[in-house]
Amino acid sequence: MSDYDVIVVGAGLGGLTTAALAAKSGMKTLVLEQSDIIGGCCSTFEVDGYKFDVGASIVEVIQPLERLFEMLGGKISDYLELIPCDPIYSFITDDGQRFSIPTDIDETTELVKRIAPEDVEGWHRFCDKGLSMIEEMMDAVMLSPMNTFSEAMQLGMKNPQILKFAPTFARTHQGVIRSFYKNPVMLQSAAFQSYFAGAPPELGSGVFGYIALSEHLGIYYPRGGMIGIPNGIAKAGMDYGLEIKVNQKVEKLLMENGTAFGVKLENGSEITAKLVVSNLNAQVTYLKLVGPHNLPGWAVKAIASYSNSMPCPMIYVGLDKKPDLEAHHTIVTSSLESMNDVWNNFYKMGIIPETAMSLVCWPTEADPSLAPEGRHILNFLCNAPAPYAPKGDNWDRLKGWYKDAAIKELETYVLPDARDHIEYIQVSTPLDFERRLLHPEGGIYGLFSDMTTLAMFRPRSRSKAVKNLYLTGSSTHLGGGVPTTVASGIVTAKYILKDFG
Amino acid sequence: MIKNLKKVLPVLVLVGMVAAWFQASESTRRYLKHIGKQVPYLPYRYFI
């Protein structure tokens, strides 16, 4: 007799989603989280009265969240408040232009007419193709199991309208946006999102080329910080008896004859279950929790063949003054070519770039309660991407230098006298992310995403190598991001309910 | 005729691929190299 029906290792969005749905179906479910807070990358911590988001800074494409709360018998607003953020971004380009992109598509058309009249026709085509793709693929692809060719074919036969979008997956991000735009600023405005999937525009899958459009469906910030989302899912799950324990680090899976039947914690205790769900990175799951000795040779070769997505050092800043910004997100960009260049000639060479792009998030614009009265928060990525192992050095030694570089970036673009107004500053390096979130090499988007690591070529939600082991989160189908990891949790729950429900 | 075509076809395909490679931009070549390195792992990845 097992202690639980389901044990979920890791309280990230994917793990919590699967756990809540399992609990709703009547399965006795336990989530074990190694950290003292839930949410993984989508979480919030408090220091000196400031509430900083660990990684994720907004949620866009909220349909998977809506679907999840429907499946849990409620709606989003029963569990969390999402504040709409408009404009989507404020841009500062390499040639000094500043403009904001509004959510409304007609208002954006007016902006395109002003900054890139030659691309108005391309913008209309981008909208027409992208919106129909998003609408037709949302439920069909995002929320459907796609571990095998057979499942993909069934999906295509049930939804023949999506087949026309298949070539988009085989194209590159830059190939897609170049088919719509010629203007360098328009290209910049749609190119940097490839890094949201952890790849440069020349390598990322073409499907991510439409992220820039999906943002026009609305971007939102949860009141109280990004942790509002995992807290909402956890609360909904707990209504059905879900148990969540923090500060519980799992050391390994309990295995017998290639079948998982529980977990062993770092403190030596063992908990058994009918099945185990891992929300950890798939390489950590297979190579550490399961162990190569419990895997067939092909599985070790397969899991070791993936590379991790890029790490991103984050800087958390508490200010005693309102920053000179116009939107929740400000992007300091450079040309499409330099976004590729920074990957090939800096990141891959182990060199921290001096220019590329910085993403400045100003959460107190949406929710002033995140900081003491009159104070503000900035969470930002500076000159991303940055290598996990800088040549001849390491991040623990570079922390101070990087902090100074970040302050200079702030002084250049956001607050000229930033140094005099910083009340709190903390740098979270790739090493910190690795230690805090157990993401190998600090890769915050799970495994690297390109056309050879998507859908049935990404680690399966239902493991074939270990019986009764399921995976969820950014390493599985659809990759990193708030909506995609929630969707992965729904897909994993569907497999579990099919097998055990 | 068909016999000759069968002999010539692989050569034509190869010539076409070489010509396409030399006409491709640096960026496209990097992409093709990257994908080429990943392809041998696909049969393993499919099952994991």
Side-chain angles (χ1 to χ4, degrees):
Chain A
M1 179 79 182
S2 303
D3 300 322
Y4 287 87
D5 294 320
V6 182
I7 289 176
V8 178
V9 184
L13 290 180
L16 288 169
T17 297
T18 302
L21 290 170
K24 164 80 169 34
S25 75
M27 300 175 97
K28 190 181 176 195
T29 306
L30 170 68
V31 177
L32 297 166
E33 167 59 40
Q34 54 99 23
S35 154
D36 58 350
I37 48 172
I38 62 168
C41 233
C42 182
S43 193
T44 308
F45 63 95
E46 187 168 348
V47 185
D48 297 343
Y50 290 99
K51 290 177 185 157
F52 297 105
D53 294 321
V54 172
S57 56
I58 46 117
V59 54
E60 61 181 83
V61 187
I62 59 169
Q63 287 81 347
L65 267 180
E66 287 176 335
R67 186 79 188 103
L68 168 64
F69 284 107
E70 271 171 37
M71 291 166 89
L72 291 169
K75 52 187 187 297
I76 292 182
S77 57
D78 294 338
Y79 295 95
L80 65 138
E81 183 187 349
L82 292 177
I83 306 165
C85 300
D86 193 5
I88 301 169
Y89 296 111
S90 181
F91 274 93
I92 303 174
T93 65
D94 54 347
D95 61 358
Q97 289 189 60
R98 286 180 182 238
F99 59 90
S100 293
I101 295 194
T103 305
D104 184 84
I105 286 184
D106 292 334
E107 284 178 37
T108 307
T109 304
E110 293 306 310
L111 174 75
V112 177
K113 281 180 186 169
R114 187 161 55 79
I115 63 170
E118 70 273 35
D119 279 342
V120 172
E121 183 270 337
W123 161 248
H124 285 308
R125 277 192 296 116
F126 187 54
C127 291
D128 288 346
K129 182 162 183 193
L131 290 176
S132 70
M133 181 171 142
I134 291 165
E135 190 184 323
E136 289 177 24
M137 291 182 80
M138 188 64 67
D139 260 23
V141 175
M142 272 193 102
L143 302 177
S144 299
M146 218 197 298
N147 277 191
T148 62
F149 280 118
S150 147
E151 286 172 345
M153 280 170 64
Q154 283 172 25
L155 196 65
M157 282 161 70
K158 264 193 213 162
N159 307 276
Q161 78 280 8
I162 66 171
L163 295 177
K164 62 179 180 283
F165 301 116
T168 305
F169 286 84
R171 298 185 73 183
T172 62
H173 186 117
Q174 73 179 19
V176 165
I177 60 172
R178 276 197 165 131
S179 69
F180 298 111
Y181 301 140
K182 294 181 194 70
N183 184 288
V185 173
M186 291 301 288
L187 287 169
Q188 280 178 41
S189 73
F192 71 89
Q193 290 90 341
S194 74
Y195 277 113
F196 289 177
E202 71 179 15
L203 298 184
S205 168
V207 72
F208 301 125
Y210 292 97
I211 294 177
L213 188 64
S214 67
E215 289 159 345
H216 287 274
L217 301 177
I219 64 167
Y220 302 87
Y221 187 76
R223 189 170 297 286
M226 291 303 291
I227 199 169
I229 298 175
N231 277 345
I233 300 172
K235 188 164 176 272
M238 286 191 283
D239 288 347
Y240 296 105
L242 173 66
E243 289 178 54
I244 300 173
K245 293 182 179 173
V246 295
N247 295 314
Q248 303 287 320
K249 189 167 182 180
V250 172
E251 189 179 86
K252 64 173 190 175
L253 293 198
L254 299 175
M255 300 268 301
E256 192 171 42
N257 299 327
T259 304
F261 67 94
V263 296
K264 182 180 180 189
L265 301 180
E266 208 173 46
N267 63 17
S269 60
E270 295 183 353
I271 310 172
T272 59
K274 285 182 189 163
L275 66 102
V276 178
V277 180
S278 176
N279 187 198
L280 305 190
N281 174 290
Q283 286 184 331
V284 176
T285 301
Y286 281 115
L287 299 178
K288 291 191 176 165
L289 294 193
V290 174
H293 58 286
N294 282 318
L295 291 169
W298 64 264
V300 176
K301 192 164 182 173
I303 199 67
S305 77
Y306 293 100
S307 47
N308 288 294
S309 68
M310 62 175 200
C312 271
M314 285 276 299
I315 297 114
Y316 311 110
V317 182
L319 291 171
D320 67 3
K321 185 182 177 185
K322 189 179 169 193
D324 181 20
L325 295 170
E326 292 169 9
H328 183 83
H329 272 159
T330 297
I331 313 281
V332 182
T333 67
S334 51
S335 68
L336 169 59
E337 290 73 23
S338 69
M339 288 181 204
N340 288 324
D341 179 61
V342 85
W343 180 271
N344 295 309
N345 298 326
F346 289 83
Y347 175 73
K348 299 286 276 182
M349 301 292 168
I351 301 167
I352 299 172
E354 287 175 13
T355 58
M357 55 161 201
S358 297
L359 189 153
V360 184
C361 177
W362 176 30
T364 37
E365 189 258 347
D367 183 1
S369 75
L370 295 170
E373 203 175 340
R375 307 296 204 262
H376 285 269
I377 285 174
L378 298 177
N379 302 319
F380 74 107
L381 310 174
C382 177
N383 291 339
Y388 168 71
K391 209 182 242 177
D393 221 318
N394 77 63
W395 278 105
D396 286 339
R397 275 204 298 272
L398 287 170
K399 221 169 185 172
W401 168 82
Y402 198 74
K403 188 160 80 176
D404 278 345
I407 293 172
K408 277 181 198 153
E409 186 86 352
L410 274 185
E411 287 179 332
T412 306
Y413 296 106
V414 177
L415 200 64
D417 52 353
R419 216 168 284 263
D420 301 331
H421 295 281
I422 292 174
E423 286 198 332
Y424 179 84
I425 182 164
Q426 183 189 329
V427 177
S428 185
T429 70
L431 282 176
D432 296 324
F433 272 113
E434 187 175 53
R435 291 163 187 152
R436 179 181 206 148
L437 300 172
L438 306 183
H439 288 186
E441 301 183 357
I444 57 174
Y445 299 107
L447 302 174
F448 181 82
S449 287
D450 63 14
M451 65 172 283
T452 67
T453 58
L454 290 177
M456 68 283 286
F457 296 115
R458 215 163 172 82
R460 294 184 177 198
S461 311
R462 180 208 278 140
S463 175
K464 194 173 171 65
V466 178
K467 203 172 169 219
N468 295 350
L469 171 64
Y470 295 77
L471 283 82
T472 185
S474 57
S475 292
T476 57
H477 175 46
L478 288 171
V482 174
T484 44
T485 46
V486 169
S488 82
I490 295 174
V491 168
T492 303
K494 284 181 179 175
Y495 279 117
I496 292 170
L497 297 183
K498 194 174 171 189
D499 297 346
F500 290 87
Chain B
M1 176 72 179
I2 291 174
K3 221 174 183 180
N4 286 340
L5 198 65
K6 273 184 180 172
K7 278 182 190 169
V8 175
L9 201 60
V11 180
L12 286 176
V13 168
L14 193 68
V15 169
M17 284 169 71
V18 171
W21 176 263
F22 281 103
Q23 282 185 344
S25 67
E26 269 301 308
S27 183
T28 305
R29 285 186 201 174
R30 280 195 297 267
Y31 175 69
L32 293 173
K33 273 187 204 168
H34 168 80
I35 296 297
K37 282 182 193 166
Q38 304 302 310
V39 166
Y41 296 113
L42 293 183
Y44 299 99
R45 286 181 186 169
Y46 176 72
F47 291 104
I48 194 67

